[in-house]
Amino acid sequence: MTAAVEAQDVVKRYHNATRNAVDGISFTIDPGQVVGVLGPNGAGKSTLIKLICGAMPPTDGAVTIFGGNPADSRVRRQLGAVHQVTSFDMMLKVSDNLRIAAAFRGLRWRTVRAHAEQLLEAFDLVGTVDQLVFTLSGGQLRRLQVVRALLRVPRLLLLDEPTAGMDVAGRRLVWRLLDEITAEHGTTVLWTSHNIDELERNCESVLVIHRGRLLQHASPRSLVEQFGRRYLAVRPGNAEHASRIMALADRAGLHGEQETGAVRLSGPDVEDRLPALLATLHEHGIAVASVEVRQMSLEDVFMALTNADEDHRTVGSAA
């Protein structure tokens, strides 16, 4: 089976940059998969999306889309993309912008008009068709970008922060409609977002990228199982006792962090050490309202992976 996206040792270095924006990344995405791209600002996510959609060539390595070069116009016709920066003519109507987008894609408006109207209705934009684009809200602009990307249902859909600026209702609307599109058409989706919960909910796997390098490519669940740790959320009877709990936990060889209304305790054998710690707290007159065993989230794992990579690079450079 030909991969939907394949990257082989891809490098992108901008002129006068001190490091590679994309630094030797390799991965494969199968047709029909929904894959998230997760990384901090400056990790190389947007550059990777631009390389995949053929907006720029790699400095080294290769990217293929369904076995073809994304710079080939015949291959690019199979793509749809929602970029971070909007590129509408702000002084034209919504309908005119969609007509222009259709023409750029070689689509006849009378052929796609019914489909465009269905998309506008699905994304709650019917009432905006005669508005000048500059009058739209940020959330409406993002939804309009998704509509434009779907004028022709693509084999590969590239989403770069597609729900940025949207409220909860708008985000959920986009999620639901993308679910329907992928289920009905088998569209492959590559999705970047700073909203980790969004990727965890919608993606089968995630690419964790930091400083241009690929740290992990796995499902959210397997990442949590492999790199996540269990911890204890201890809720004191008196909120003012949180600092004392952390101090006593530190003496017991555990690490304490204050959360909203609770103290997070982690460390080796944290559950086995709990009875002794509770006894110590009792001896010091510190009441405990509840103790809950929790699993680290994908966000916790992401922070642990990127922090570990920073620490590794710091040690390596110091050496």
Side-chain angles (χ1 to χ4, degrees):
M1 178 175 59
T2 303
V5 182
E6 185 171 11
Q8 298 179 326
D9 298 320
V10 175
V11 173
K12 181 62 183 181
R13 188 179 187 90
Y14 294 111
H15 182 63
N16 290 333
T18 57
R19 63 178 177 85
N20 295 332
V22 173
D23 193 12
I25 287 181
S26 297
F27 61 85
T28 299
I29 297 174
D30 293 329
Q33 285 190 313
V34 180
V35 178
V37 183
L38 184 57
N41 290 332
K45 304 186 300 297
S46 294
T47 296
L48 180 62
I49 293 294
K50 290 175 183 177
L51 292 170
I52 292 171
C53 71
M56 62 173 68
T59 305
D60 201 0
V63 178
T64 56
I65 307 298
F66 299 107
N69 185 339
D72 187 326
S73 60
R74 292 168 298 180
V75 175
R76 293 177 71 174
R77 290 194 190 102
Q78 303 177 74
L79 310 183
V82 176
H83 296 291
Q84 286 191 44
V85 180
T86 59
S87 56
F88 295 108
D89 189 320
M90 294 294 181
M91 298 307 295
L92 291 181
K93 295 179 181 179
V94 166
S95 56
D96 291 334
N97 271 275
L98 292 179
R99 286 173 180 268
I100 292 169
F104 269 116
R105 292 190 174 197
L107 302 172
R108 295 185 177 182
W109 180 244
R110 66 173 179 268
T111 303
V112 300
R113 180 174 180 173
H115 176 58
E117 290 174 348
Q118 290 175 351
L119 289 170
L120 288 167
E121 182 176 0
F123 283 93
D124 195 24
L125 291 171
V126 171
T128 69
V129 289
D130 292 323
Q131 287 183 228
L132 300 181
V133 170
F134 83 88
T135 66
L136 301 183
S137 68
Q140 288 174 323
L141 274 174
R142 297 302 282 171
R143 297 204 301 276
L144 184 58
Q145 280 186 283
V146 179
V147 169
R148 182 174 61 181
L150 296 175
L151 284 175
R152 174 192 282 136
V153 178
R155 293 181 70 188
L156 173 64
L157 180 59
L158 305 173
L159 303 174
D160 196 0
E161 300 287 345
T163 61
M166 291 188 191
D167 58 18
V168 174
R171 289 199 301 271
R172 290 183 178 273
L173 176 63
V174 170
W175 297 350
R176 178 175 61 79
L177 293 170
L178 289 175
D179 280 344
E180 293 175 1
I181 289 166
T182 53
E184 181 177 352
H185 299 283
T187 299
T188 306
V189 179
L190 193 60
W191 184 330
T192 78
S193 177
H194 282 105
N195 187 334
I196 297 177
D197 291 340
E198 178 172 72
L199 297 185
E200 191 167 15
R201 177 235 180 258
N202 291 287
C203 300
E204 301 167 49
S205 64
V206 291
L207 302 163
V208 182
I209 296 176
H210 187 230
R211 296 179 66 86
R213 297 189 307 116
L214 179 62
L215 301 184
Q216 292 290 328
H217 181 195
S219 70
R221 176 177 293 182
S222 65
L223 285 173
V224 169
E225 290 176 350
Q226 182 177 356
F227 297 100
R229 298 185 304 275
R230 290 158 70 89
Y231 66 93
L232 302 178
V234 178
R235 189 176 298 276
N238 183 339
E240 295 180 357
H241 289 165
S243 59
R244 296 181 63 192
I245 292 175
M246 288 190 290
L248 292 170
D250 184 64
R251 294 182 195 176
L254 298 175
H255 175 67
E257 295 179 52
Q258 191 161 354
E259 296 182 337
T260 303
V263 174
R264 173 191 286 211
L265 298 179
S266 59
D269 305 319
V270 62
E271 292 175 66
D272 294 336
R273 298 185 186 204
L274 177 61
L277 176 60
L278 290 176
T280 301
L281 295 177
H282 179 72
E283 290 172 4
H284 286 75
I286 299 174
V288 172
S290 66
V291 178
E292 184 179 349
V293 180
R294 296 179 182 173
Q295 182 77 29
M296 287 176 65
S297 66
L298 180 61
E299 182 174 353
D300 294 322
V301 171
F302 166 68
M303 292 302 299
L305 287 170
T306 53
N307 288 339
D309 187 57
E310 285 286 0
D311 291 343
H312 173 75
R313 285 174 174 268
T314 301
V315 171
S317 62

